[in-house]
Amino acid sequence: MASRHRSRELFGKAKGLMPGGVSSPVRAFPPHPLYISKGKGSRIWDADGNELIDYCMAFGPLILGHAPPAVVKALAVQAKLGTLYGAPIEKEIEMAELIRRHYPSAEMMRFVSSGTEATMHVLRLARGYTGKDRFIKVEGAFHGAHDSVLVKAGSGATTHSVPNSIGIPAEVTRNTLLVPFNDLDAVKRTIKENKGEVAALITEPIIGNAGPILPEERYLKGLRELTAEEDVLLILDEVITGFRLAMGGAQELFRIKADLMTLGKIAGGGLPIGIFAGPEEIMSHISPRGKVYQAGTFSGNPMSLTAGLATLRELERVGYEDLNGKGERMRNGLKEVLEDLRLDYTVEGIGSMYQLFLSKGPIRNYEDAKKSDTALFTKLFDLLLEKGIYLPPSQFETNFLSTAHTDEDIEFTIKAFEEALREVTR
Ligand SMILES: *Cc1c(COP(=O)(O)O)cnc(C)c1O
C-alpha cells in the first residue's frame, strides 16, 4: 500500500476547518482525499510523494497538462506587472477577438470569474431580453451551483421542479422546466405546455457532468430547429466542451450555432474564468449599455486572461488531431479490455473525454448513467489509485486527457484498468 500518512493527517485538520474538509464537494472521497503538492505534465504528486497519472485534470481546465511552460512563463511576466487593476486591459480585447474568431455565436461577450457566474448571468440575460421567466434545463446537465439550475432530475418534476439543495426557495426553481437529454419530444411538449413563457433552453451539448453522454445524430440540430421555430433562445453551455473538442467547441464539431453560449474551464488556462457571449442584439442589454445587471471585482482578471490566452494560442498552434487520437486510443484500449474480460460495461466519450460506465448501456441520458454500479466504481477507483492512476472520484464525471499525456501513459493506464477490472469482478 502506498503511504498516505500526510494526506490523512492534513485531512484530519481540514475536517475541522472546512465542511467535509474540502473547498468543493466533488473533491471528497473516502477515506480521505489526497493532498496534492505538485503537478507537471500528465502527473501529480501527493503530499506523501506518490506519483500519479492524472485524468481528472482539475475537472477539465488543464488541456495542456499541469504547469505548461508557455503558461507559467506568461503568468510570471503578468504577476510582476500587477495581478488586478479594476480597470480594463488590452488582453480582454485580444481574448474577445480570439474567441469570436472561433465561435460565430460569440459576437460580444463578458468575462466573469467562474462557469457558475457565466450561466447565472446568461440566464438572467435571456430572461431580461425576452421578458419571460421560465427556462428548460436538461436532466443531468450541470451549469454550476446557483439556485435556478440546481434542480433534481425525476419524473413529474417537469413542470414543478424540486430543488436538490435545501435553502433554495421552490418559487425559484418552479420556473426551471426539466427534460431528459436526447428527447426532442419532451422539449416540444414542454414548450407547448408553457406556451409564451419559456425564455430559453440551456444544455451542455455533450453532457460532461454525468460522465460523457453524447447527443444522438439529430438531437442538437433538432434542438436548434425547435427553439428557433418556437422563439425560445438556445443556450449552449460549453464550459467543458469549449476548446476541448475543437477550437470552436461542440458548435464547430456539430455545426450548430447557439443564440447564447458560455465558456469557462480551459479558457482560463488553469485560472478562474467564465465567459458568456451572444449577438450584439442580445448582449447590448447588459449593463452599463442595458438594464440587465452584472458585475464582478475579479471579472476580466489579468492573470486568468494571461493564462487563458497562452493556452488558447498554444492550442491554435498544436491543433486537436494528436490529442483526440489519444482519446481514441484510450477508448479503444478500454473496449478491448472489456471484450477480453467478457464484461458487459460501456466505454463512452469523444475527443479527449472518456469514461468507463459500469453498466450495460447504451448511455443516452442521466437515468441510463445512474444505472451504473457505483459500489464497484469505488473499488475500481481505489485499485487504480493504488496503481498510480488518478481519476475524478466519481462515476458521474468525465476523465480528461491532455496534450501532455504520452502513449506510454495511455498503455500503462489501459493495463492498469485491465488488472483492476480483473480483480474487482473476480
Ligand atoms: C464546471 C461547469 C460549470 C461551472 O463552472 P465553475 O467554474 O465550476 O463555476 C458550468 N457548466 C458546465 C458545463 C461545467 O462543466
Side-chain angles (χ1 to χ4, degrees), residues 265-417:
K265 296 201 165 100
I266 290 172
L271 273 75
I273 207 164
I275 301 159
F276 63 100
E280 180 168 6
E281 147 83 6
I282 305 180
M283 290 299 287
S284 59
H285 287 74
I286 294 283
S287 174
R289 225 174 123 176
K291 290 184 184 160
V292 176
Y293 198 68
Q294 183 281 323
T297 303
F298 295 98
S299 290
N301 171 349
M303 295 299 275
S304 299
L305 291 171
T306 297
L309 273 171
T311 298
L312 300 184
R313 285 181 180 143
E314 181 70 4
L315 282 172
E316 278 183 329
R317 196 177 66 77
V318 300
Y320 286 82
E321 206 175 309
D322 192 53
L323 175 64
N324 291 346
K326 287 174 192 170
E328 190 76 20
R329 278 202 290 290
M330 181 68 84
R331 287 187 296 274
N332 287 340
L334 292 177
K335 281 178 195 163
E336 275 168 32
V337 167
L338 293 182
E339 269 171 38
D340 288 350
L341 300 180
R342 297 187 182 356
L343 292 173
D344 219 358
Y345 300 143
T346 313
V347 177
E348 273 295 349
I350 184 171
S352 51
M353 304 163 70
Y354 74 96
Q355 181 58 286
L356 171 65
F357 283 102
L358 297 170
S359 80
K360 191 166 171 302
I363 312 288
R364 293 180 62 245
N365 56 38
Y366 188 46
E367 289 302 314
D368 291 343
K370 282 199 299 190
K371 286 178 195 146
S372 301
D373 186 340
T374 51
L376 191 64
F377 176 84
T378 302
K379 284 188 198 155
L380 186 68
F381 173 84
D382 285 344
L383 270 178
L384 286 168
L385 205 55
E386 199 55 40
K387 293 175 191 299
I389 309 288
Y390 188 80
L391 302 179
S394 163
Q395 169 79 95
F396 309 113
E397 295 285 351
T398 292
N399 301 337
F400 294 103
L401 284 144
S402 73
T403 57
H405 285 83
T406 63
D407 290 342
E408 291 75 47
D409 288 340
I410 295 168
E411 286 312 309
F412 181 88
T413 304
I414 293 168
K415 192 97 195 104
F417 262 97

Side-chain angles (χ1 to χ4, degrees), residues 59 113-117 119 141-145 204 206 208-209 237-241 262 264-265 273-274:
F59 294 92
S113 299
S114 68
T116 296
E117 272 184 76
T119 64
F142 178 71
H143 304 294
E204 295 178 74
I206 291 165
N209 287 284
D237 180 355
E238 294 229 46
V239 169
I240 284 188
T241 50
T262 55
K265 296 201 165 100
I273 207 164

Side-chain angles (χ1 to χ4, degrees), residues 145-151 162-173:
H146 58 91
D147 286 2
S148 67
V149 292
L150 270 187
V151 183
V162 186
N164 66 352
S165 162
I166 59 169
I168 299 176
E171 294 84 77
V172 172
T173 53

Side-chain angles (χ1 to χ4, degrees), residues 185-199:
D185 286 337
V187 174
K188 240 180 251 175
R189 210 162 43 236
T190 305
I191 293 176
K192 200 168 158 207
E193 283 167 7
N194 296 273
K195 194 88 193 152
E197 294 183 278
V198 182

